[in-house]
Amino acid sequence: MHFISVAFVLGVLHQVAAAPAPLFGINLGTGSSSDATPTPVSQDDITNNLLRPALFSRAVYCSTEAVEKWACGDSCDALPNVKVLAAGGDDGLIPRFLVAHDADEDTIVVAHQGTDPKNFLSDLNDLKFAQVGANKTVLPAAGDDIKMHDGFAYAQSRTADIVLSTVQSALESTGSKKILVTGHSLGAAIASIDAMMLKTRLDQNLSLSAVVFGLPRVGNQAWADFVDQTLGSSFTHVTNQNDPVPRVPPQSLQFQHPSNEIHITSVDSAGNIATAESCPGQENSHCSDGFDILDFSIDNHRGPYFHNVSMGNKFCTL
């Protein structure tokens, strides 16, 4: 089963088709764009920097009960020595989430579930394209010019308090100085807002990294610039071939990606070896922003991304 619904894709294409500019590989909006040449990403970089976040992003799709016990089959077995500190969500209005201590890396991990068509409420979250101002309780440093996707902002706000308080107590109880925030699809959007919340509200001496997969556009140009200025190279968003989700909401509706995209250009037939490149600047025309939106692949959104990691409830083996 594809885990973005047909209704979602049709809604996306309707919005893009209504844009006043040509579609094919052209920046539809007024935000920044880049045509700088991408550089190759090594297999070592994929393994060392992207694999562990991807495994957590996969595991958080599993049931809360299984995640709390860290007994969700292959998704949990791939990450030994993890202690879950908080988990919740209902696979719908509140997407699943976890906060855990990864003892092998001495890192506090926050992960959020993405979209699955088995729950229509998750699709509704994705299909709201209106913008709202930043929630100043969540992001007190956000300027008035920052506008965000209302569904993503609201979804993040539902778990913001428990995520923040659990991370704060975990840092104190474990002595860890590192935080990883990750997620896929809708979970990537929530995770990116979480990363900004944690970075701006916790001790600035902490090391925080955010690695997200299949990220839709979360906010406007001011939001993208805010992410770049606040997180810099500690934020990475991974796109997979012709995945349509990173292309929505469209730039014509004043949405913009931040910098630091890593774009997967191909994956071998076994799903293990990915060819990827680092894309300079925002909305690089050589990467996800450059492919024809009508040539999309829902399978690319699910994966595999690399090391045979695909995302979705169906990959929870227990």
Side-chain angles (χ1 to χ4, degrees):
M1 178 185 293
H2 292 320
F3 86 113
I4 295 289
S5 69
V6 173
F8 171 73
V9 174
L10 291 176
V12 167
L13 294 179
H14 173 76
Q15 292 285 345
V16 175
L23 293 175
F24 303 102
I26 297 175
N27 184 333
L28 299 178
T30 59
S32 298
S33 62
S34 170
D35 62 0
T37 302
T39 57
V41 176
S42 71
Q43 294 303 311
D44 283 347
D45 282 342
I46 290 173
T47 300
N48 295 333
N49 300 324
L50 305 181
L51 177 57
R52 207 163 187 85
L55 292 171
F56 277 106
S57 288
R58 181 177 69 174
V60 76
Y61 272 95
C62 301
S63 72
T64 298
E65 180 182 7
V67 166
E68 286 176 333
K69 298 175 182 177
W70 207 240
C72 58
D74 293 344
S75 295
C76 291
D77 293 345
L79 293 161
N81 302 318
V82 169
K83 180 180 180 181
V84 176
L85 306 171
D90 58 10
D91 193 24
L93 192 64
I94 303 176
R96 292 178 182 138
F97 69 94
L98 68 83
V99 182
H101 180 223
D102 180 357
D104 287 347
E105 299 293 325
D106 193 19
T107 298
I108 307 304
V109 178
V110 178
H112 287 275
Q113 178 197 18
T115 310
D116 194 293
K118 289 187 297 184
N119 196 309
F120 182 62
L121 290 172
S122 288
D123 283 345
L124 288 182
N125 273 332
D126 279 344
L127 286 169
K128 295 177 182 176
F129 282 171
Q131 291 185 340
V132 295
N135 183 333
K136 295 298 184 71
T137 301
V138 172
L139 298 170
D144 293 339
D145 58 340
I146 291 174
K147 304 299 179 184
M148 303 172 67
H149 179 287
D150 67 342
F152 299 158
Y154 186 42
Q156 189 272 342
S157 72
R158 294 176 187 130
T159 57
D161 287 344
I162 189 171
V163 167
L164 178 60
S165 62
T166 305
V167 170
Q168 288 172 320
S169 63
L171 292 168
E172 182 176 352
S173 64
T174 65
S176 175
K177 302 296 183 185
K178 297 188 293 182
I179 303 168
L180 167 66
V181 187
T182 191
H184 170 254
S185 193
L186 170 62
I190 297 172
S192 66
I193 304 171
D194 266 5
M196 292 294 290
M197 174 185 72
L198 296 171
K199 182 64 177 179
T200 56
R201 297 182 64 180
L202 297 177
D203 186 342
Q204 295 302 295
N205 293 319
L206 295 168
S207 172
L208 183 145
S209 62
V211 181
V212 298
F213 303 87
L215 174 70
R217 296 184 178 106
V218 173
N220 65 355
Q221 180 72 63
W223 164 256
D225 293 342
F226 185 38
V227 173
D228 285 356
Q229 292 159 10
T230 304
L231 298 178
S233 61
S234 65
F235 178 81
T236 300
H237 62 107
V238 180
T239 59
N240 187 20
Q241 302 174 85
N242 286 7
D243 177 1
V245 172
R247 297 293 302 276
V248 299
Q251 285 183 295
S252 60
L253 298 183
Q254 304 303 310
F255 285 90
Q256 179 79 11
H257 273 308
S259 301
N260 300 307
E261 175 186 1
I262 290 180
H263 183 59
I264 296 171
T265 58
S266 65
V267 181
D268 71 0
S269 59
N272 287 319
I273 305 300
T275 301
E277 46 193 29
S278 178
C279 310
Q282 297 178 359
E283 304 284 0
N284 191 296
S285 62
H286 299 291
C287 296
S288 179
D289 192 51
F291 82 84
D292 179 357
I293 188 63
L294 298 180
D295 190 27
F296 68 89
S297 168
I298 297 299
D299 285 339
N300 287 164
H301 187 60
R302 181 188 64 191
Y305 283 74
F306 39 72
H307 292 267
N308 206 27
V309 175
S310 294
M311 310 290 183
N313 298 27
K314 65 182 291 183
F315 301 104
C316 300
T317 53
L318 287 178

